[in-house]
Amino acid sequence: MKPKYIVGIVIIAVFVVFAAINLSKSLTPYVSVDQARKSDSVVQVKGQRVAGSENFDIQHKIFQFKMRDENGQEFDVVYNGVKPANLEEAKEVVVIGRFNGSRFEADQLLVKCPSKYQAEGAQS
Amino acid sequence: MISGILAISIAFVASTVATAAYWLYYKENDERFYNLANRGFAIMGVGVIFSVVLLYFNIFTHNFQLDYVYSYTSTKLSTYYLISTFWAGQQGTFLLWLMYATVFGIILIRTVAKKQPMVMFFLMLVQSFLLLILLKKSPFSMIWNVHPDAAVGMMPADGRGLNPLLQNPWMIIHPPIMFVGYSSTVVAFSLALSAMVTRNFQGWIKTARPWVLFTTLTLGTGVIMGGYWSYVTLGWGGYWAWDPVENASFVPWLFTAVLLHGLVIQDRQKGLVKTNLFLAGLAFISVLWGSFLTRSGVLADFSVHSFAESDLNLYLIALVTFFSGIFIYQYFKSVKLIDSPRFAEGIFSRESFMLIGMMSILFTGITVFIGTSAPIYTGLFGKPSNVSQNFYNTISIPVAFFMLLSMAIAPLLAWKISDFRKKGTIGLSAAAALLVTAVSVALGLTKPVSIVLVFLSIFAIVINSKVSFQFLKKIPTKSGAYLSHVGIAMMVIGIITSSMYSTSEKVTLPEGQFTKTQFGYDIQFVNFVNNPDGKERAKLLVKKEDGGENYVALPQFYFSDYTQSYMVSPHVKVGMAKDIYISPISFIPGEKSDNQQVELTRNSTQTVGDIKVTFNKFDVSNHMENAPTSVKADLTIAVQENSNWKDYSIAPAMWMENGKLESDEAAVPNTGYKIRIESLDASQGMVRLAVMKPSTDQPAGPNVLAVEVSEKPLISILWFGALVFIGGVGLTLADRFRKA
């Protein structure tokens, strides 16, 4: 075998391993609150905002609110950012982050609004 | 609408007849089959064009009886946006896809179809499948077919309108360009399959090359435009989020770009035969797979983009598996027969370096493909997971390293032989790149990864510019390939500076006051202004602290009835050195509307929040001669303090002034509550009070607009590089026609 091929194969192997490790590290599953509490890695939790629980700290620009996951469990969320304007209208909220103590610290706060692209009720 | 459904049905039948006839012509070599096939194609083409015209006719005449017209348009839309409603829904995009494929078919019939009917066979097979999908999910369904509760024959007064996100000039041109690229991958796919069926593994590449260039150009332009649109309108601060919808067009583009380079090598050295066939299949299958991911609703939980759940899942899965199956079967049947010659000696040949570049792009394509599909296969074994953006960003770094390295070195190497002659040029270019990099480091380029990549990018820019200038003097169109590499390397620089060195700050702006930012300018929120298009904008004054130029920023911030949410669009101050990007995040009204009205008769009590309000009597006072008569409501407020109730007396007043009723607020001691008289009826002894609860989350004060301000250094290089890239690929395509 020519050295060229050996070098090539080694580089490819390194890349594949690199990609695989990276993939397994960055998988962020959807979990329930209970699972999120136990998890050490970043997860996403889907649920609904508890109406009226929002609290925006204008000094620290920290936004807090309560969420209810799909099993009906409530938990506190802190988000180091400004409250998304359309939170009130959101059908669903997805928080990506991890628990720190009793509060879920969200790195990302996704707000899912009704009928983003598809007209409502257009399913046949 | 029966005429439309009929047109698609006829087109479908004609398409299947043509497919079969092209096959028979290939088998029997009987001219009559060829004529039949072309006639079938013509009828299919007329059916598709008729459907396009019919749908547009209904859109422009506002026939809201058609569900598609009702769902995506309204009478309020301007002509331009009515044009873009055509591709607002799935059915329209499939129709667009069909229309493009028809045009490609016409070109193929005029060029290669007679000699290579199998190309048309495969093209028409795909076409038939797409028509079948449109039979299932028709753009011509009537509103009462889709909504069971709608009365037959009803005509809604107006449609639901177009999503405001799509009401943007970019959305008029971005989707059609994207789709032309998307659908053109079918040509290389059909050519490759035909090559395998006919066992002519070399002949197809000459026909394929301009098509592959065309796909690279259009899909690339589409992807870039999508990024630009995202940057200037969505307001989240970036241009690329590795969202499934973005990836679904990015991956086929990467595979096509790899194929393009593979074809160059095959054209010169007859090598990479198997690789190129495989890549042509991979590109098209990734298009189908992307359609499945983004249109079936399987990723609805993982993307803010994806279309809602649809009933096409089965069809889309069938589409992917059917064509993957055909391709894989043909590929493994052919691979044994292919004798791909060795095409390069040693490492320092141009081919070897091109291969490094190709492999890095291929690797990116495959990993993005795998990453985007993560929810599917992780869902098979447990909780569906997606991958975070970090995955893609991390992968990109080593890939960019190898890609840039190969882009820089390859143009200086000779074809076929390993001969490293131009060491001098490399040395000089490296020295120049090093110098520029050193200056950049002095200007603040600090992160090691970025330093290495910027160095390599400049290195690649210097060498490719040099080569393209040499060609510009001789055969200008030949410079395109090198020019496109200059563009790519510039884009890499722009991406690095604008992402790794972007700084942003969230600031809250009280109305009417300047607020300091970390960037050396103060911002004031003036008010909301109405725009002629009905979309409100926040007016902001941006003042340089050192007395430089001031400007007014007008980012969009308005409530959309369509999406039932606030729509945000940033203000981007474009500059050579940096963009200043201001995006509204939230508006906090100063006066809390959180108040409650209570009606009380004399000596009655009501509980409001955690206080008890008792109305005792009215006090009519007239202390001073010229002061207006005022009425005070004598109230007793019970407040709970340390589990005991304590009473306080307060007396908010109401008076007449200049013919208008005025009232004041009386604060309840030791609480945040305030009480004002809303109205009163002295004869009935009744008062209506407004009780303002203490606002827990903010002090009462002016309106506040929260915005995110960010600076994106050198993002101009990204967009300029994109233009250079597009121009370069365009020139290369022109070069093909110069030869033809």
Side-chain angles (χ1 to χ4, degrees), chain B residues 428-476:
Chain B
L428 271 177
S429 309
L434 213 53
L435 193 69
V436 179
T437 312
V439 173
S440 314
V441 171
L443 289 173
L445 196 75
T446 47
K447 293 172 181 143
V449 168
S450 67
I451 294 173
V452 173
L453 291 182
V454 165
F455 167 74
L456 282 174
S457 302
I458 297 167
F459 190 33
I461 290 172
V462 172
I463 289 173
N464 282 284
S465 307
K466 188 171 174 291
V467 179
S468 39
F469 275 121
Q470 284 165 356
F471 275 115
L472 270 176
K473 280 184 252 161
K474 292 181 275 180
I475 319 157

Short mmCIF file of all heavy atoms in Angstrom, two decimals, chain B residues 428-476:
data_model
loop_
_atom_site.label_atom_id
_atom_site.label_comp_id
_atom_site.label_asym_id
_atom_site.label_seq_id
_atom_site.Cartn_x
_atom_site.Cartn_y
_atom_site.Cartn_z
N LEU B 428 5.77 33.13 -1.56
CA LEU B 428 5.40 34.55 -1.59
C LEU B 428 3.97 34.78 -1.08
O LEU B 428 3.71 35.69 -0.30
CB LEU B 428 5.51 35.09 -3.02
CG LEU B 428 6.88 35.64 -3.42
CD1 LEU B 428 6.87 36.07 -4.88
CD2 LEU B 428 7.26 36.82 -2.52
N SER B 429 3.07 33.92 -1.56
CA SER B 429 1.67 34.07 -1.16
C SER B 429 1.52 33.83 0.34
O SER B 429 0.77 34.55 1.02
CB SER B 429 0.78 33.07 -1.90
OG SER B 429 1.02 33.15 -3.28
N ALA B 430 2.23 32.82 0.82
CA ALA B 430 2.16 32.54 2.26
C ALA B 430 2.70 33.72 3.05
O ALA B 430 2.12 34.09 4.08
CB ALA B 430 2.94 31.27 2.58
N ALA B 431 3.77 34.32 2.54
CA ALA B 431 4.34 35.47 3.24
C ALA B 431 3.34 36.63 3.26
O ALA B 431 3.13 37.27 4.30
CB ALA B 431 5.64 35.90 2.56
N ALA B 432 2.68 36.86 2.11
CA ALA B 432 1.69 37.92 2.04
C ALA B 432 0.53 37.64 3.01
O ALA B 432 0.08 38.53 3.74
CB ALA B 432 1.15 38.06 0.62
N ALA B 433 0.10 36.38 3.01
CA ALA B 433 -1.02 36.00 3.89
C ALA B 433 -0.62 36.17 5.36
O ALA B 433 -1.42 36.62 6.18
CB ALA B 433 -1.45 34.57 3.61
N LEU B 434 0.62 35.81 5.63
CA LEU B 434 1.11 35.92 7.00
C LEU B 434 1.10 37.37 7.46
O LEU B 434 0.73 37.70 8.58
CB LEU B 434 2.54 35.35 7.05
CG LEU B 434 2.97 34.66 8.34
CD1 LEU B 434 1.97 33.58 8.73
CD2 LEU B 434 4.36 34.07 8.19
N LEU B 435 1.51 38.24 6.55
CA LEU B 435 1.56 39.67 6.84
C LEU B 435 0.16 40.19 7.17
O LEU B 435 -0.06 40.86 8.19
CB LEU B 435 2.14 40.42 5.64
CG LEU B 435 2.53 41.87 5.89
CD1 LEU B 435 3.73 41.93 6.82
CD2 LEU B 435 2.82 42.59 4.57
N VAL B 436 -0.81 39.85 6.30
CA VAL B 436 -2.18 40.32 6.52
C VAL B 436 -2.73 39.75 7.82
O VAL B 436 -3.39 40.43 8.61
CB VAL B 436 -3.10 39.93 5.33
CG1 VAL B 436 -4.53 40.39 5.58
CG2 VAL B 436 -2.57 40.53 4.04
N THR B 437 -2.40 38.47 8.06
CA THR B 437 -2.87 37.85 9.30
C THR B 437 -2.27 38.55 10.51
O THR B 437 -2.97 38.79 11.51
CB THR B 437 -2.50 36.36 9.33
OG1 THR B 437 -2.88 35.78 8.08
CG2 THR B 437 -3.24 35.62 10.42
N ALA B 438 -0.98 38.89 10.42
CA ALA B 438 -0.32 39.57 11.54
C ALA B 438 -1.01 40.90 11.81
O ALA B 438 -1.26 41.26 12.98
CB ALA B 438 1.16 39.79 11.22
N VAL B 439 -1.35 41.63 10.75
CA VAL B 439 -2.06 42.90 10.94
C VAL B 439 -3.42 42.65 11.61
O VAL B 439 -3.83 43.37 12.52
CB VAL B 439 -2.24 43.62 9.57
CG1 VAL B 439 -3.13 44.85 9.73
CG2 VAL B 439 -0.88 44.00 9.00
N SER B 440 -4.08 41.58 11.14
CA SER B 440 -5.39 41.26 11.73
C SER B 440 -5.27 40.94 13.21
O SER B 440 -6.12 41.32 14.01
CB SER B 440 -6.03 40.06 11.02
OG SER B 440 -5.94 40.19 9.64
N VAL B 441 -4.21 40.21 13.56
CA VAL B 441 -4.00 39.88 14.97
C VAL B 441 -3.79 41.16 15.77
O VAL B 441 -4.36 41.35 16.84
CB VAL B 441 -2.80 38.92 15.14
CG1 VAL B 441 -2.44 38.75 16.61
CG2 VAL B 441 -3.12 37.57 14.52
N ALA B 442 -3.02 42.08 15.17
CA ALA B 442 -2.80 43.35 15.84
C ALA B 442 -4.11 44.11 16.01
O ALA B 442 -4.31 44.84 16.98
CB ALA B 442 -1.80 44.19 15.04
N LEU B 443 -5.04 43.91 15.07
CA LEU B 443 -6.32 44.61 15.14
C LEU B 443 -7.35 43.89 16.01
O LEU B 443 -8.48 44.33 16.11
CB LEU B 443 -6.89 44.80 13.73
CG LEU B 443 -6.17 45.82 12.84
CD1 LEU B 443 -6.71 45.78 11.43
CD2 LEU B 443 -6.28 47.22 13.43
N GLY B 444 -6.96 42.75 16.57
CA GLY B 444 -7.89 42.13 17.51
C GLY B 444 -8.29 40.70 17.19
O GLY B 444 -9.18 40.15 17.83
N LEU B 445 -7.67 40.10 16.20
CA LEU B 445 -7.95 38.69 15.91
C LEU B 445 -7.18 37.87 16.93
O LEU B 445 -5.95 37.79 16.86
CB LEU B 445 -7.50 38.37 14.48
CG LEU B 445 -8.04 37.09 13.85
CD1 LEU B 445 -9.48 37.26 13.44
CD2 LEU B 445 -7.20 36.71 12.64
N THR B 446 -7.88 37.28 17.90
CA THR B 446 -7.15 36.68 19.01
C THR B 446 -7.30 35.18 19.10
O THR B 446 -6.39 34.49 19.55
CB THR B 446 -7.65 37.28 20.34
OG1 THR B 446 -9.08 37.25 20.31
CG2 THR B 446 -7.16 38.69 20.50
N LYS B 447 -8.44 34.64 18.70
CA LYS B 447 -8.67 33.21 18.91
C LYS B 447 -7.83 32.39 17.94
O LYS B 447 -7.84 32.65 16.74
CB LYS B 447 -10.15 32.89 18.74
CG LYS B 447 -10.97 33.54 19.84
CD LYS B 447 -12.44 33.42 19.61
CE LYS B 447 -13.18 34.11 20.74
NZ LYS B 447 -14.38 34.78 20.29
N PRO B 448 -7.11 31.40 18.47
CA PRO B 448 -6.16 30.63 17.64
C PRO B 448 -6.83 30.03 16.40
O PRO B 448 -6.27 30.10 15.30
CB PRO B 448 -5.67 29.53 18.57
CG PRO B 448 -5.92 30.04 19.94
CD PRO B 448 -7.07 30.97 19.87
N VAL B 449 -8.01 29.43 16.58
CA VAL B 449 -8.69 28.79 15.45
C VAL B 449 -8.94 29.81 14.35
O VAL B 449 -8.71 29.55 13.17
CB VAL B 449 -10.03 28.17 15.92
CG1 VAL B 449 -10.89 27.77 14.73
CG2 VAL B 449 -9.77 26.97 16.80
N SER B 450 -9.38 30.98 14.76
CA SER B 450 -9.70 31.99 13.76
C SER B 450 -8.43 32.49 13.08
O SER B 450 -8.44 32.78 11.88
CB SER B 450 -10.46 33.14 14.40
OG SER B 450 -9.63 33.85 15.30
N ILE B 451 -7.34 32.56 13.82
CA ILE B 451 -6.09 33.03 13.21
C ILE B 451 -5.66 32.05 12.12
O ILE B 451 -5.32 32.45 11.00
CB ILE B 451 -4.97 33.17 14.28
CG1 ILE B 451 -5.36 34.29 15.26
CG2 ILE B 451 -3.63 33.48 13.64
CD1 ILE B 451 -4.44 34.41 16.45
N VAL B 452 -5.70 30.75 12.42
CA VAL B 452 -5.29 29.75 11.45
C VAL B 452 -6.19 29.81 10.21
O VAL B 452 -5.71 29.83 9.07
CB VAL B 452 -5.35 28.33 12.08
CG1 VAL B 452 -5.10 27.26 11.02
CG2 VAL B 452 -4.34 28.22 13.21
N LEU B 453 -7.49 29.86 10.43
CA LEU B 453 -8.42 29.84 9.30
C LEU B 453 -8.34 31.13 8.48
O LEU B 453 -8.44 31.09 7.25
CB LEU B 453 -9.85 29.59 9.78
CG LEU B 453 -10.12 28.18 10.33
CD1 LEU B 453 -11.58 28.03 10.73
CD2 LEU B 453 -9.75 27.10 9.32
N VAL B 454 -8.16 32.24 9.15
CA VAL B 454 -8.03 33.50 8.41
C VAL B 454 -6.75 33.48 7.57
O VAL B 454 -6.76 33.88 6.40
CB VAL B 454 -8.07 34.71 9.37
CG1 VAL B 454 -7.58 35.97 8.69
CG2 VAL B 454 -9.48 34.92 9.90
N PHE B 455 -5.68 32.97 8.16
CA PHE B 455 -4.43 32.86 7.40
C PHE B 455 -4.65 32.02 6.15
O PHE B 455 -4.30 32.43 5.04
CB PHE B 455 -3.32 32.25 8.28
CG PHE B 455 -2.13 31.82 7.48
CD1 PHE B 455 -1.24 32.76 6.95
CD2 PHE B 455 -1.89 30.46 7.22
CE1 PHE B 455 -0.16 32.35 6.18
CE2 PHE B 455 -0.81 30.06 6.45
CZ PHE B 455 0.06 31.00 5.93
N LEU B 456 -5.24 30.84 6.32
CA LEU B 456 -5.46 29.96 5.17
C LEU B 456 -6.39 30.61 4.14
O LEU B 456 -6.19 30.47 2.93
CB LEU B 456 -6.04 28.63 5.63
CG LEU B 456 -5.06 27.64 6.24
CD1 LEU B 456 -5.78 26.42 6.78
CD2 LEU B 456 -4.03 27.21 5.19
N SER B 457 -7.40 31.32 4.61
CA SER B 457 -8.32 31.98 3.69
C SER B 457 -7.58 33.01 2.86
O SER B 457 -7.76 33.08 1.63
CB SER B 457 -9.45 32.67 4.45
OG SER B 457 -10.14 31.75 5.24
N ILE B 458 -6.78 33.82 3.51
CA ILE B 458 -6.06 34.86 2.77
C ILE B 458 -5.07 34.20 1.79
O ILE B 458 -4.94 34.63 0.64
CB ILE B 458 -5.34 35.82 3.73
CG1 ILE B 458 -6.38 36.53 4.60
CG2 ILE B 458 -4.51 36.84 2.98
CD1 ILE B 458 -5.81 37.25 5.78
N PHE B 459 -4.43 33.16 2.26
CA PHE B 459 -3.53 32.37 1.42
C PHE B 459 -4.27 31.91 0.15
O PHE B 459 -3.81 32.10 -0.98
CB PHE B 459 -3.08 31.17 2.26
CG PHE B 459 -1.96 30.35 1.67
CD1 PHE B 459 -0.97 30.94 0.89
CD2 PHE B 459 -1.90 28.98 1.93
CE1 PHE B 459 0.06 30.16 0.38
CE2 PHE B 459 -0.88 28.20 1.42
CZ PHE B 459 0.11 28.80 0.63
N ALA B 460 -5.44 31.35 0.34
CA ALA B 460 -6.24 30.87 -0.79
C ALA B 460 -6.68 32.03 -1.68
O ALA B 460 -6.70 31.92 -2.91
CB ALA B 460 -7.46 30.09 -0.29
N ILE B 461 -7.02 33.15 -1.06
CA ILE B 461 -7.47 34.31 -1.84
C ILE B 461 -6.33 34.82 -2.72
O ILE B 461 -6.51 35.07 -3.91
CB ILE B 461 -7.98 35.44 -0.91
CG1 ILE B 461 -9.29 35.02 -0.26
CG2 ILE B 461 -8.17 36.74 -1.69
CD1 ILE B 461 -9.77 35.96 0.82
N VAL B 462 -5.14 34.94 -2.13
CA VAL B 462 -4.00 35.46 -2.88
C VAL B 462 -3.72 34.59 -4.10
O VAL B 462 -3.63 35.07 -5.24
CB VAL B 462 -2.75 35.55 -1.97
CG1 VAL B 462 -1.51 35.91 -2.79
CG2 VAL B 462 -2.97 36.57 -0.87
N ILE B 463 -3.62 33.28 -3.87
CA ILE B 463 -3.25 32.38 -4.96
C ILE B 463 -4.35 32.32 -6.03
O ILE B 463 -4.08 32.43 -7.23
CB ILE B 463 -2.93 30.98 -4.42
CG1 ILE B 463 -1.59 31.05 -3.66
CG2 ILE B 463 -2.85 29.95 -5.54
CD1 ILE B 463 -1.21 29.79 -2.93
N ASN B 464 -5.59 32.19 -5.59
CA ASN B 464 -6.67 32.09 -6.58
C ASN B 464 -6.88 33.40 -7.33
O ASN B 464 -7.23 33.39 -8.51
CB ASN B 464 -7.97 31.64 -5.90
CG ASN B 464 -7.97 30.15 -5.62
OD1 ASN B 464 -8.15 29.34 -6.52
ND2 ASN B 464 -7.72 29.79 -4.37
N SER B 465 -6.66 34.53 -6.65
CA SER B 465 -6.78 35.81 -7.36
C SER B 465 -5.71 35.89 -8.44
O SER B 465 -5.96 36.33 -9.56
CB SER B 465 -6.60 36.99 -6.40
OG SER B 465 -7.46 36.88 -5.33
N LYS B 466 -4.51 35.47 -8.07
CA LYS B 466 -3.39 35.54 -9.00
C LYS B 466 -3.71 34.71 -10.25
O LYS B 466 -3.58 35.18 -11.38
CB LYS B 466 -2.14 35.00 -8.31
CG LYS B 466 -0.87 35.18 -9.10
CD LYS B 466 0.34 34.81 -8.24
CE LYS B 466 1.61 34.86 -9.06
NZ LYS B 466 1.70 33.80 -10.07
N VAL B 467 -4.17 33.48 -10.02
CA VAL B 467 -4.47 32.61 -11.16
C VAL B 467 -5.63 33.18 -11.98
O VAL B 467 -5.61 33.17 -13.21
CB VAL B 467 -4.79 31.18 -10.69
CG1 VAL B 467 -5.13 30.28 -11.86
CG2 VAL B 467 -3.60 30.60 -9.93
N SER B 468 -6.65 33.69 -11.30
CA SER B 468 -7.77 34.20 -12.08
C SER B 468 -7.40 35.44 -12.88
O SER B 468 -7.91 35.64 -13.99
CB SER B 468 -9.02 34.44 -11.23
OG SER B 468 -8.72 34.95 -9.99
N PHE B 469 -6.48 36.23 -12.35
CA PHE B 469 -6.04 37.39 -13.15
C PHE B 469 -5.29 36.95 -14.40
O PHE B 469 -5.42 37.55 -15.47
CB PHE B 469 -5.17 38.34 -12.31
CG PHE B 469 -6.00 39.31 -11.52
CD1 PHE B 469 -5.91 39.36 -10.15
CD2 PHE B 469 -6.88 40.17 -12.17
CE1 PHE B 469 -6.69 40.24 -9.41
CE2 PHE B 469 -7.67 41.06 -11.46
CZ PHE B 469 -7.57 41.09 -10.06
N GLN B 470 -4.50 35.88 -14.25
CA GLN B 470 -3.79 35.37 -15.43
C GLN B 470 -4.77 34.94 -16.51
O GLN B 470 -4.58 35.21 -17.69
CB GLN B 470 -2.90 34.18 -15.04
CG GLN B 470 -1.65 34.59 -14.30
CD GLN B 470 -0.98 33.43 -13.59
OE1 GLN B 470 -1.48 32.30 -13.60
NE2 GLN B 470 0.16 33.70 -13.00
N PHE B 471 -5.86 34.29 -16.08
CA PHE B 471 -6.86 33.85 -17.05
C PHE B 471 -7.66 35.01 -17.61
O PHE B 471 -8.05 35.00 -18.77
CB PHE B 471 -7.79 32.81 -16.42
CG PHE B 471 -7.26 31.42 -16.48
CD1 PHE B 471 -6.93 30.73 -15.34
CD2 PHE B 471 -7.07 30.81 -17.73
CE1 PHE B 471 -6.41 29.43 -15.41
CE2 PHE B 471 -6.57 29.52 -17.80
CZ PHE B 471 -6.23 28.84 -16.64
N LEU B 472 -7.94 35.99 -16.73
CA LEU B 472 -8.75 37.13 -17.17
C LEU B 472 -8.14 37.78 -18.41
O LEU B 472 -8.84 38.27 -19.28
CB LEU B 472 -8.86 38.16 -16.05
CG LEU B 472 -10.05 37.99 -15.09
CD1 LEU B 472 -9.99 39.00 -13.98
CD2 LEU B 472 -11.38 38.10 -15.83
N LYS B 473 -6.82 37.76 -18.48
CA LYS B 473 -6.15 38.38 -19.61
C LYS B 473 -6.30 37.52 -20.87
O LYS B 473 -6.39 38.04 -21.97
CB LYS B 473 -4.66 38.58 -19.29
CG LYS B 473 -4.42 39.82 -18.42
CD LYS B 473 -2.94 40.06 -18.19
CE LYS B 473 -2.54 39.74 -16.76
NZ LYS B 473 -1.13 39.52 -16.56
N LYS B 474 -6.33 36.20 -20.70
CA LYS B 474 -6.39 35.31 -21.86
C LYS B 474 -7.84 34.90 -22.17
O LYS B 474 -8.46 35.40 -23.10
CB LYS B 474 -5.53 34.06 -21.60
CG LYS B 474 -4.03 34.39 -21.54
CD LYS B 474 -3.18 33.16 -21.30
CE LYS B 474 -3.09 32.85 -19.83
NZ LYS B 474 -2.30 31.67 -19.50
N ILE B 475 -8.37 33.98 -21.36
CA ILE B 475 -9.75 33.53 -21.59
C ILE B 475 -10.54 33.87 -20.32
O ILE B 475 -10.50 33.14 -19.33
CB ILE B 475 -9.80 32.00 -21.81
CG1 ILE B 475 -8.63 31.57 -22.70
CG2 ILE B 475 -11.14 31.58 -22.40
CD1 ILE B 475 -8.27 30.12 -22.53
N PRO B 476 -11.25 34.99 -20.34
CA PRO B 476 -11.87 35.49 -19.10
C PRO B 476 -12.77 34.46 -18.41
O PRO B 476 -12.73 34.33 -17.18
CB PRO B 476 -12.69 36.70 -19.55
CG PRO B 476 -12.06 37.12 -20.83
CD PRO B 476 -11.49 35.90 -21.47
#
